[in-house]
Amino acid sequence: MIGRLSGVIAEKSPPQVVIDVAGVGYEVDVPMSTFFNLGGLGERAVLLTHLTVREDAHQLFGFLTHEERATFRMLIKISGIGPKMALGLLSGLSVAELAQAVSQQEIGRLTKVPGIGKKTAERLLLELKGKLGADLALPAAVANDAQGDILQALVALGYSEKDAAAALKVLPPDVGVSEGIKLALKKLT
């Protein structure tokens, strides 16, 4: 219904901002990453939004990037994850960090976010596995294009991203793709 707001920042009080659009102030809940990347009071801002309609309230949630909004929408589809918890997750972890935690099945990383217990973290990992952008989930071990290609090749051969990332760590930083795949395969077998 309301997909985007473009206006002037009238108020900022974590986790809410008020965006004045042609004289109408819209209260928007935002993740902390968005909150801190917005300008100051009186500055123009553009937020991508998601409207949640309940019996007792209409709530707008705002995001600076399409990835954040898409991840938020994916999170709220999971049983037991409401808009506030999804917003908390995106405040505690960036989309890339969340994708990496899901791809590497890191329960501990998710439980560090306030409001996320062990069972909720397990449900998140189960529901999001394979859904959260694989392009965002490349491990931090990938330092260059060659290593990214090596990682993708190993995953295509059936190795988990965690095992492939571990094999990448022992490779020389300047190794070529074909030689890197050979060395990584030797490490994995």
Side-chain angles (χ1 to χ4, degrees):
M1 186 175 198
I2 298 174
R4 185 176 82 102
L5 291 175
S6 178
V8 176
I9 301 170
E11 295 176 33
K12 282 180 84 173
S13 176
Q16 276 190 343
V17 295
V18 175
I19 304 290
D20 184 318
V21 180
V24 178
Y26 291 91
E27 276 185 8
V28 185
D29 288 318
V30 296
M32 296 313 292
S33 57
T34 296
F35 185 85
F36 290 119
N37 287 317
L38 284 174
L41 296 179
E43 291 186 32
R44 292 201 54 78
V46 176
L47 288 176
L48 302 169
T49 61
H50 175 85
L51 177 67
T52 300
V53 179
R54 297 188 334 221
E55 281 183 29
D56 59 339
H58 289 210
Q59 289 182 296
L60 267 177
F61 297 92
F63 310 93
L64 284 177
T65 66
H66 289 281
E67 291 80 16
E68 271 187 326
R69 182 172 67 176
T71 303
F72 175 82
R73 288 176 172 169
M74 198 179 304
L75 288 169
I76 61 174
K77 288 179 183 176
I78 298 171
S79 174
I81 306 291
K84 292 289 184 186
M85 190 175 290
L87 206 61
L89 261 167
L90 290 174
S91 292
L93 298 171
S94 70
V95 175
E97 290 170 336
L98 179 59
Q100 186 175 10
V102 169
S103 71
Q104 296 181 356
Q105 297 292 291
E106 296 180 86
I107 289 177
R109 198 168 186 181
L110 296 179
T111 56
K112 288 180 183 172
V113 176
I116 304 293
K118 186 177 181 198
K119 287 185 179 182
T120 304
E122 288 171 346
R123 187 175 334 111
L124 281 166
L125 292 177
L126 180 67
E127 294 281 339
L128 293 175
K129 188 170 185 167
K131 292 181 184 175
L132 204 53
D135 56 329
L136 297 171
L138 291 178
V142 177
N144 57 40
D145 288 341
Q147 288 193 342
D149 291 343
I150 295 166
L151 178 76
Q152 288 178 346
L154 294 172
V155 170
L157 289 170
Y159 292 99
S160 72
E161 286 190 38
K162 189 175 183 178
D163 291 340
L168 278 181
K169 290 179 183 175
V170 299
L171 297 179
D174 59 344
V175 70
V177 175
S178 61
E179 186 63 26
I181 293 171
K182 290 175 189 173
L183 292 171
L185 286 171
K186 284 180 185 174
K187 167 76 173 122
L188 290 167
T189 54

